[in-house]
Amino acid sequence: MNKKALFILLGSLLSVGAHAEEKGGLKPGDAPPPPHAMDDGYRGVEDARISTIEKAKAMHDGASVSFRGNLVKKTGDDRFLFRDKTGEITVQIPPSVFDDREVKPDHLLTVSGSLDKKQDPPLVRVSHLEK
C-alpha cells in the first residue's frame, strides 16, 4: 500500500511541470513596420557580419548568417517567419534561445544561426537572438 501511495505522490509532483505557464517567445502585438522602414529606431553599431535574407538565399548550406529585422508570425512549434528589408525566410528558434524574453512583431531583432538549404524552403536554425 505504501508503494502505491508513493507512486501517486511522485506522479502528481512530476505532472506539475507540464502545467507551467509558457514564458518568452513571440507574443501577439503591433504589426511589424513596412520593409522600407526597417532601419528606423535601431540604435547600435553597424556590424559588417549582418547579412540580408536576399544574400543568404544565394549562400551555401551551413553558412553562418545574421539578420536584422522582425519576427512576423509563428508558423509552427518553433518556426517563425522572419522579415528584413530584402525579404522573408523561415527561422527555427528553440525556446531556450528566447531565454524567457517576449518578442512582438514590431520589435527590431538581430538573429544569428546557420542556413539549412536542405529544407524546402530554406530555413535558418537560430542559435542567438538579440533584442
mmCIF file with all atom_site columns, all heavy atoms in Angstrom, residues 12-31:
data_model
loop_
_atom_site.group_PDB
_atom_site.id
_atom_site.type_symbol
_atom_site.label_atom_id
_atom_site.label_alt_id
_atom_site.label_comp_id
_atom_site.label_asym_id
_atom_site.label_entity_id
_atom_site.label_seq_id
_atom_site.pdbx_PDB_ins_code
_atom_site.Cartn_x
_atom_site.Cartn_y
_atom_site.Cartn_z
_atom_site.occupancy
_atom_site.B_iso_or_equiv
_atom_site.pdbx_formal_charge
_atom_site.auth_seq_id
_atom_site.auth_comp_id
_atom_site.auth_asym_id
_atom_site.auth_atom_id
_atom_site.pdbx_PDB_model_num
ATOM 1   N N   . SER A 1 12 ? 2.060  12.898 -9.246  1.00 0.00 ? 12 SER A N   1
ATOM 2   C CA  . SER A 1 12 ? 1.443  14.224 -9.140  1.00 0.00 ? 12 SER A CA  1
ATOM 3   C C   . SER A 1 12 ? 2.503  15.321 -9.109  1.00 0.00 ? 12 SER A C   1
ATOM 4   O O   . SER A 1 12 ? 2.294  16.408 -9.645  1.00 0.00 ? 12 SER A O   1
ATOM 5   C CB  . SER A 1 12 ? 0.533  14.304 -7.910  1.00 0.00 ? 12 SER A CB  1
ATOM 6   O OG  . SER A 1 12 ? 1.301  14.176 -6.732  1.00 0.00 ? 12 SER A OG  1
ATOM 7   N N   . LEU A 1 13 ? 3.658  15.072 -8.503  1.00 0.00 ? 13 LEU A N   1
ATOM 8   C CA  . LEU A 1 13 ? 4.729  16.066 -8.473  1.00 0.00 ? 13 LEU A CA  1
ATOM 9   C C   . LEU A 1 13 ? 5.323  16.285 -9.858  1.00 0.00 ? 13 LEU A C   1
ATOM 10  O O   . LEU A 1 13 ? 5.640  17.415 -10.244 1.00 0.00 ? 13 LEU A O   1
ATOM 11  C CB  . LEU A 1 13 ? 5.830  15.642 -7.504  1.00 0.00 ? 13 LEU A CB  1
ATOM 12  C CG  . LEU A 1 13 ? 5.485  15.730 -6.026  1.00 0.00 ? 13 LEU A CG  1
ATOM 13  C CD1 . LEU A 1 13 ? 6.615  15.173 -5.174  1.00 0.00 ? 13 LEU A CD1 1
ATOM 14  C CD2 . LEU A 1 13 ? 5.192  17.160 -5.620  1.00 0.00 ? 13 LEU A CD2 1
ATOM 15  N N   . LEU A 1 14 ? 5.481  15.224 -10.625 1.00 0.00 ? 14 LEU A N   1
ATOM 16  C CA  . LEU A 1 14 ? 6.058  15.341 -11.966 1.00 0.00 ? 14 LEU A CA  1
ATOM 17  C C   . LEU A 1 14 ? 5.104  16.011 -12.941 1.00 0.00 ? 14 LEU A C   1
ATOM 18  O O   . LEU A 1 14 ? 5.536  16.647 -13.893 1.00 0.00 ? 14 LEU A O   1
ATOM 19  C CB  . LEU A 1 14 ? 6.470  13.959 -12.491 1.00 0.00 ? 14 LEU A CB  1
ATOM 20  C CG  . LEU A 1 14 ? 7.624  13.293 -11.730 1.00 0.00 ? 14 LEU A CG  1
ATOM 21  C CD1 . LEU A 1 14 ? 7.860  11.898 -12.259 1.00 0.00 ? 14 LEU A CD1 1
ATOM 22  C CD2 . LEU A 1 14 ? 8.883  14.128 -11.837 1.00 0.00 ? 14 LEU A CD2 1
ATOM 23  N N   . SER A 1 15 ? 3.821  15.889 -12.724 1.00 0.00 ? 15 SER A N   1
ATOM 24  C CA  . SER A 1 15 ? 2.860  16.487 -13.649 1.00 0.00 ? 15 SER A CA  1
ATOM 25  C C   . SER A 1 15 ? 2.708  17.986 -13.438 1.00 0.00 ? 15 SER A C   1
ATOM 26  O O   . SER A 1 15 ? 2.169  18.680 -14.293 1.00 0.00 ? 15 SER A O   1
ATOM 27  C CB  . SER A 1 15 ? 1.499  15.801 -13.523 1.00 0.00 ? 15 SER A CB  1
ATOM 28  O OG  . SER A 1 15 ? 0.920  16.096 -12.269 1.00 0.00 ? 15 SER A OG  1
ATOM 29  N N   . VAL A 1 16 ? 3.204  18.536 -12.340 1.00 0.00 ? 16 VAL A N   1
ATOM 30  C CA  . VAL A 1 16 ? 3.096  19.968 -12.069 1.00 0.00 ? 16 VAL A CA  1
ATOM 31  C C   . VAL A 1 16 ? 3.856  20.761 -13.125 1.00 0.00 ? 16 VAL A C   1
ATOM 32  O O   . VAL A 1 16 ? 3.400  21.799 -13.589 1.00 0.00 ? 16 VAL A O   1
ATOM 33  C CB  . VAL A 1 16 ? 3.623  20.297 -10.651 1.00 0.00 ? 16 VAL A CB  1
ATOM 34  C CG1 . VAL A 1 16 ? 3.745  21.794 -10.453 1.00 0.00 ? 16 VAL A CG1 1
ATOM 35  C CG2 . VAL A 1 16 ? 2.696  19.696 -9.618  1.00 0.00 ? 16 VAL A CG2 1
ATOM 36  N N   . GLY A 1 17 ? 5.023  20.274 -13.556 1.00 0.00 ? 17 GLY A N   1
ATOM 37  C CA  . GLY A 1 17 ? 5.828  20.968 -14.565 1.00 0.00 ? 17 GLY A CA  1
ATOM 38  C C   . GLY A 1 17 ? 5.126  21.049 -15.904 1.00 0.00 ? 17 GLY A C   1
ATOM 39  O O   . GLY A 1 17 ? 5.357  21.969 -16.684 1.00 0.00 ? 17 GLY A O   1
ATOM 40  N N   . ALA A 1 18 ? 4.263  20.114 -16.210 1.00 0.00 ? 18 ALA A N   1
ATOM 41  C CA  . ALA A 1 18 ? 3.580  20.107 -17.500 1.00 0.00 ? 18 ALA A CA  1
ATOM 42  C C   . ALA A 1 18 ? 2.549  21.222 -17.612 1.00 0.00 ? 18 ALA A C   1
ATOM 43  O O   . ALA A 1 18 ? 2.184  21.623 -18.708 1.00 0.00 ? 18 ALA A O   1
ATOM 44  C CB  . ALA A 1 18 ? 2.903  18.756 -17.716 1.00 0.00 ? 18 ALA A CB  1
ATOM 45  N N   . HIS A 1 19 ? 2.102  21.755 -16.497 1.00 0.00 ? 19 HIS A N   1
ATOM 46  C CA  . HIS A 1 19 ? 1.077  22.791 -16.500 1.00 0.00 ? 19 HIS A CA  1
ATOM 47  C C   . HIS A 1 19 ? 1.666  24.185 -16.263 1.00 0.00 ? 19 HIS A C   1
ATOM 48  O O   . HIS A 1 19 ? 0.926  25.126 -16.036 1.00 0.00 ? 19 HIS A O   1
ATOM 49  C CB  . HIS A 1 19 ? 0.029  22.507 -15.417 1.00 0.00 ? 19 HIS A CB  1
ATOM 50  C CG  . HIS A 1 19 ? -0.675 21.195 -15.621 1.00 0.00 ? 19 HIS A CG  1
ATOM 51  N ND1 . HIS A 1 19 ? -1.530 20.970 -16.679 1.00 0.00 ? 19 HIS A ND1 1
ATOM 52  C CD2 . HIS A 1 19 ? -0.610 20.036 -14.931 1.00 0.00 ? 19 HIS A CD2 1
ATOM 53  C CE1 . HIS A 1 19 ? -1.986 19.730 -16.603 1.00 0.00 ? 19 HIS A CE1 1
ATOM 54  N NE2 . HIS A 1 19 ? -1.431 19.146 -15.564 1.00 0.00 ? 19 HIS A NE2 1
ATOM 55  N N   . ALA A 1 20 ? 3.009  24.305 -16.362 1.00 0.00 ? 20 ALA A N   1
ATOM 56  C CA  . ALA A 1 20 ? 3.641  25.598 -16.124 1.00 0.00 ? 20 ALA A CA  1
ATOM 57  C C   . ALA A 1 20 ? 3.304  26.569 -17.249 1.00 0.00 ? 20 ALA A C   1
ATOM 58  O O   . ALA A 1 20 ? 3.099  26.181 -18.385 1.00 0.00 ? 20 ALA A O   1
ATOM 59  C CB  . ALA A 1 20 ? 5.159  25.415 -16.031 1.00 0.00 ? 20 ALA A CB  1
ATOM 60  N N   . GLU A 1 21 ? 3.247  27.830 -16.902 1.00 0.00 ? 21 GLU A N   1
ATOM 61  C CA  . GLU A 1 21 ? 2.927  28.867 -17.881 1.00 0.00 ? 21 GLU A CA  1
ATOM 62  C C   . GLU A 1 21 ? 4.103  29.059 -18.824 1.00 0.00 ? 21 GLU A C   1
ATOM 63  O O   . GLU A 1 21 ? 5.251  29.081 -18.423 1.00 0.00 ? 21 GLU A O   1
ATOM 64  C CB  . GLU A 1 21 ? 2.647  30.182 -17.154 1.00 0.00 ? 21 GLU A CB  1
ATOM 65  C CG  . GLU A 1 21 ? 2.215  31.283 -18.075 1.00 0.00 ? 21 GLU A CG  1
ATOM 66  C CD  . GLU A 1 21 ? 1.893  32.554 -17.321 1.00 0.00 ? 21 GLU A CD  1
ATOM 67  O OE1 . GLU A 1 21 ? 1.386  32.466 -16.207 1.00 0.00 ? 21 GLU A OE1 1
ATOM 68  O OE2 . GLU A 1 21 ? 2.173  33.621 -17.872 1.00 0.00 ? 21 GLU A OE2 1
ATOM 69  N N   . GLU A 1 22 ? 3.816  29.202 -20.111 1.00 0.00 ? 22 GLU A N   1
ATOM 70  C CA  . GLU A 1 22 ? 4.841  29.387 -21.115 1.00 0.00 ? 22 GLU A CA  1
ATOM 71  C C   . GLU A 1 22 ? 5.354  30.817 -21.038 1.00 0.00 ? 22 GLU A C   1
ATOM 72  O O   . GLU A 1 22 ? 4.592  31.771 -21.078 1.00 0.00 ? 22 GLU A O   1
ATOM 73  C CB  . GLU A 1 22 ? 4.239  29.125 -22.493 1.00 0.00 ? 22 GLU A CB  1
ATOM 74  C CG  . GLU A 1 22 ? 5.238  28.659 -23.496 1.00 0.00 ? 22 GLU A CG  1
ATOM 75  C CD  . GLU A 1 22 ? 4.591  28.320 -24.802 1.00 0.00 ? 22 GLU A CD  1
ATOM 76  O OE1 . GLU A 1 22 ? 3.750  27.409 -24.831 1.00 0.00 ? 22 GLU A OE1 1
ATOM 77  O OE2 . GLU A 1 22 ? 4.926  28.987 -25.778 1.00 0.00 ? 22 GLU A OE2 1
ATOM 78  N N   . LYS A 1 23 ? 6.679  30.978 -20.915 1.00 0.00 ? 23 LYS A N   1
ATOM 79  C CA  . LYS A 1 23 ? 7.276  32.309 -20.849 1.00 0.00 ? 23 LYS A CA  1
ATOM 80  C C   . LYS A 1 23 ? 8.126  32.527 -22.082 1.00 0.00 ? 23 LYS A C   1
ATOM 81  O O   . LYS A 1 23 ? 8.648  31.611 -22.666 1.00 0.00 ? 23 LYS A O   1
ATOM 82  C CB  . LYS A 1 23 ? 8.154  32.431 -19.605 1.00 0.00 ? 23 LYS A CB  1
ATOM 83  C CG  . LYS A 1 23 ? 7.373  32.364 -18.320 1.00 0.00 ? 23 LYS A CG  1
ATOM 84  C CD  . LYS A 1 23 ? 8.278  32.536 -17.135 1.00 0.00 ? 23 LYS A CD  1
ATOM 85  C CE  . LYS A 1 23 ? 7.487  32.431 -15.855 1.00 0.00 ? 23 LYS A CE  1
ATOM 86  N NZ  . LYS A 1 23 ? 8.303  32.524 -14.681 1.00 0.00 ? 23 LYS A NZ  1
ATOM 87  N N   . GLY A 1 24 ? 8.306  33.761 -22.456 1.00 0.00 ? 24 GLY A N   1
ATOM 88  C CA  . GLY A 1 24 ? 9.137  34.088 -23.596 1.00 0.00 ? 24 GLY A CA  1
ATOM 89  C C   . GLY A 1 24 ? 8.469  33.756 -24.914 1.00 0.00 ? 24 GLY A C   1
ATOM 90  O O   . GLY A 1 24 ? 7.321  33.352 -24.960 1.00 0.00 ? 24 GLY A O   1
ATOM 91  N N   . GLY A 1 25 ? 9.192  33.938 -25.993 1.00 0.00 ? 25 GLY A N   1
ATOM 92  C CA  . GLY A 1 25 ? 8.667  33.619 -27.310 1.00 0.00 ? 25 GLY A CA  1
ATOM 93  C C   . GLY A 1 25 ? 7.948  34.785 -27.948 1.00 0.00 ? 25 GLY A C   1
ATOM 94  O O   . GLY A 1 25 ? 7.912  35.898 -27.425 1.00 0.00 ? 25 GLY A O   1
ATOM 95  N N   . LEU A 1 26 ? 7.361  34.535 -29.102 1.00 0.00 ? 26 LEU A N   1
ATOM 96  C CA  . LEU A 1 26 ? 6.658  35.579 -29.850 1.00 0.00 ? 26 LEU A CA  1
ATOM 97  C C   . LEU A 1 26 ? 5.263  35.776 -29.287 1.00 0.00 ? 26 LEU A C   1
ATOM 98  O O   . LEU A 1 26 ? 4.497  34.839 -29.175 1.00 0.00 ? 26 LEU A O   1
ATOM 99  C CB  . LEU A 1 26 ? 6.584  35.192 -31.333 1.00 0.00 ? 26 LEU A CB  1
ATOM 100 C CG  . LEU A 1 26 ? 5.899  36.184 -32.251 1.00 0.00 ? 26 LEU A CG  1
ATOM 101 C CD1 . LEU A 1 26 ? 6.693  37.485 -32.326 1.00 0.00 ? 26 LEU A CD1 1
ATOM 102 C CD2 . LEU A 1 26 ? 5.732  35.600 -33.631 1.00 0.00 ? 26 LEU A CD2 1
ATOM 103 N N   . LYS A 1 27 ? 4.957  36.990 -28.912 1.00 0.00 ? 27 LYS A N   1
ATOM 104 C CA  . LYS A 1 27 ? 3.633  37.339 -28.391 1.00 0.00 ? 27 LYS A CA  1
ATOM 105 C C   . LYS A 1 27 ? 2.927  38.219 -29.407 1.00 0.00 ? 27 LYS A C   1
ATOM 106 O O   . LYS A 1 27 ? 3.559  39.033 -30.082 1.00 0.00 ? 27 LYS A O   1
ATOM 107 C CB  . LYS A 1 27 ? 3.748  38.100 -27.064 1.00 0.00 ? 27 LYS A CB  1
ATOM 108 C CG  . LYS A 1 27 ? 4.472  37.339 -25.982 1.00 0.00 ? 27 LYS A CG  1
ATOM 109 C CD  . LYS A 1 27 ? 3.717  36.109 -25.586 1.00 0.00 ? 27 LYS A CD  1
ATOM 110 C CE  . LYS A 1 27 ? 4.464  35.378 -24.482 1.00 0.00 ? 27 LYS A CE  1
ATOM 111 N NZ  . LYS A 1 27 ? 4.066  34.034 -24.309 1.00 0.00 ? 27 LYS A NZ  1
ATOM 112 N N   . PRO A 1 28 ? 1.620  38.088 -29.527 1.00 0.00 ? 28 PRO A N   1
ATOM 113 C CA  . PRO A 1 28 ? 0.897  38.947 -30.465 1.00 0.00 ? 28 PRO A CA  1
ATOM 114 C C   . PRO A 1 28 ? 1.055  40.412 -30.073 1.00 0.00 ? 28 PRO A C   1
ATOM 115 O O   . PRO A 1 28 ? 1.161  40.747 -28.910 1.00 0.00 ? 28 PRO A O   1
ATOM 116 C CB  . PRO A 1 28 ? -0.556 38.517 -30.317 1.00 0.00 ? 28 PRO A CB  1
ATOM 117 C CG  . PRO A 1 28 ? -0.572 37.325 -29.444 1.00 0.00 ? 28 PRO A CG  1
ATOM 118 C CD  . PRO A 1 28 ? 0.769  37.181 -28.812 1.00 0.00 ? 28 PRO A CD  1
ATOM 119 N N   . GLY A 1 29 ? 1.113  41.254 -31.062 1.00 0.00 ? 29 GLY A N   1
ATOM 120 C CA  . GLY A 1 29 ? 1.273  42.679 -30.774 1.00 0.00 ? 29 GLY A CA  1
ATOM 121 C C   . GLY A 1 29 ? 1.059  43.486 -32.026 1.00 0.00 ? 29 GLY A C   1
ATOM 122 O O   . GLY A 1 29 ? 0.412  43.052 -32.971 1.00 0.00 ? 29 GLY A O   1
ATOM 123 N N   . ASP A 1 30 ? 1.639  44.672 -32.044 1.00 0.00 ? 30 ASP A N   1
ATOM 124 C CA  . ASP A 1 30 ? 1.511  45.546 -33.198 1.00 0.00 ? 30 ASP A CA  1
ATOM 125 C C   . ASP A 1 30 ? 2.127  44.897 -34.434 1.00 0.00 ? 30 ASP A C   1
ATOM 126 O O   . ASP A 1 30 ? 3.022  44.071 -34.329 1.00 0.00 ? 30 ASP A O   1
ATOM 127 C CB  . ASP A 1 30 ? 2.210  46.881 -32.924 1.00 0.00 ? 30 ASP A CB  1
ATOM 128 C CG  . ASP A 1 30 ? 1.556  47.630 -31.785 1.00 0.00 ? 30 ASP A CG  1
ATOM 129 O OD1 . ASP A 1 30 ? 0.343  47.425 -31.566 1.00 0.00 ? 30 ASP A OD1 1
ATOM 130 O OD2 . ASP A 1 30 ? 2.257  48.408 -31.102 1.00 0.00 ? 30 ASP A OD2 1
ATOM 131 N N   . ALA A 1 31 ? 1.658  45.298 -35.578 1.00 0.00 ? 31 ALA A N   1
ATOM 132 C CA  . ALA A 1 31 ? 2.181  44.783 -36.839 1.00 0.00 ? 31 ALA A CA  1
ATOM 133 C C   . ALA A 1 31 ? 3.618  45.253 -37.028 1.00 0.00 ? 31 ALA A C   1
ATOM 134 O O   . ALA A 1 31 ? 3.990  46.337 -36.569 1.00 0.00 ? 31 ALA A O   1
ATOM 135 C CB  . ALA A 1 31 ? 1.315  45.265 -37.990 1.00 0.00 ? 31 ALA A CB  1
#
